[in-house]
Amino acid sequence: MRLDGTVALVTGASSGIGEAAAVALAHQGAAVAVVARRRERLEDLAARIGKDGGRVLVIEADVTDEAQARAAVERTASELGRIDTLVNNAGVMLLGPAQDAPVAEWQRMVEVNVLGLLYCAHAALPHLIRAADDGPRYVADMVNISSVAGRIARSGSGVYNLTKHGVGAFSEALRQEVTKKHVRISLVEPGAVETELAGHNRPEVLEGIRSTFGDIERMQPEDIADAIAYVVTRPRHVAINEVLIRPTEQER
Ligand SMILES: NC(=O)c1ccc[n+]([C@@H]2O[C@H](COP(=O)([O-])OP(=O)(O)OC[C@H]3O[C@@H](n4cnc5c(N)ncnc54)[C@H](OP(=O)(O)O)[C@@H]3O)[C@@H](O)[C@H]2O)c1
């Protein structure tokens, strides 16, 4: 298995893309730390991975709290021994026009999608640099989950667009800073995936999302996990910087 002897940390692993990514990385031989707020969901996932012979560490944490984010990273390094892969996946998408939007929704998106990702990236970076230096693969990976919304702004999606464009900008700058150290920073930008993400929206917004995307056949979390696993299993000299991945029927 390609990730034998390595350790991966996945944020937002209690559902959707993060959950599927944890399974996919464990399947490739990585020991996996699974991080989110819903402990029961993480325990359930850990039991499934464990049954298949994988090694899992459950960490209940809110990544918007810098101390909790840092503690999750440090616990992973101390209990699993190292960190070769960070999948910065935890995110929220609260849509709707800017006018009269509840500002608390904007704060939540900035806190989770931007600050949470930055806290985890900052804490994990020294571990990734060390992992790239001392094997077993002599390369380490940070995969930041953005979105098509990180490429194209859309009416009714302004602040989500802002957070995901920000993730793209930060990822490219960081990539240039650490690529000579063999730490690869990759951006994965999914289109519509069938997960719990949209379900946190206000009912009137949810209706709008449904009519925008209609009844196209959405991707499954496993489709994105597959892309993440591909990115992190490339040979040391190959860096997949960016993956834009849409359902075939999604136009924009
Ligand atoms: N689904 C799509 O169509 C789509 C498209 C493009 C990009 N994405 C991106 O993919 C990522 C994963 O989303 P998903 O679609 O898989 O949605 P999801 O099923 O709702 O998963 C979101 C995950 O983020 C975690 N999370 C939220 N707030 C958190 C916090 N404060 N601290 C720690 N974890 C937190 C949630 O866990 P807890 O609630 O247990 O904490 C959950 O595990 C997001 O960044 C999203 O923007 C999704």
Side-chain angles (χ1 to χ4, degrees), residues 12-18 35-38 61-64 89-92 112 145-148 160 164 190-197 200:
S14 60
S15 62
I17 293 167
V35 177
R37 292 165 305 172
R38 288 173 293 174
D62 181 339
V63 296
T64 67
N89 163 79
V92 287
V112 182
I145 307 302
S146 176
S147 169
V148 170
Y160 186 62
K164 293 301 190 182
V193 187
E194 206 169 291
T195 69
E196 299 173 11
L197 190 73
H200 304 294

Side-chain angles (χ1 to χ4, degrees), residues 111-134:
E111 282 168 4
V112 182
N113 302 359
V114 178
L115 287 173
L117 179 142
L118 292 177
Y119 297 148
C120 293
H122 186 263
L125 212 46
H127 296 288
L128 295 176
I129 292 169
R130 205 168 306 130
D133 205 39
D134 70 3

Side-chain angles (χ1 to χ4, degrees), residues 142-161:
M142 182 188 302
V143 182
N144 292 333
I145 307 302
S146 176
S147 169
V148 170
R151 286 268 198 116
I152 302 163
R154 196 193 291 273
S155 155
S157 175
V159 180
Y160 186 62
N161 287 138

Side-chain angles (χ1 to χ4, degrees), residues 13 43 66 73 89 98 113 118 121 127 139 141 157 162 198 201 240:
E43 300 280 8
E66 186 190 346
V73 168
N89 163 79
N113 302 359
L118 292 177
H127 296 288
V139 69
D141 287 281
S157 175
L162 179 152
N201 282 281
I240 308 290

Side-chain angles (χ1 to χ4, degrees), residues 196-214:
E196 299 173 11
L197 190 73
H200 304 294
N201 282 281
R202 287 167 280 137
E204 65 275 21
V205 173
L206 201 50
E207 198 47 51
I209 297 171
R210 286 203 186 104
S211 66
T212 303
F213 288 102

Side-chain angles (χ1 to χ4, degrees), residues 5 9 68 79 117 128 195 198 206 211 216 218 229 251:
L9 186 164
Q68 289 187 42
E79 293 189 30
L117 179 142
L128 295 176
T195 69
L206 201 50
S211 66
I216 65 164
R218 286 168 171 67
E251 288 172 350

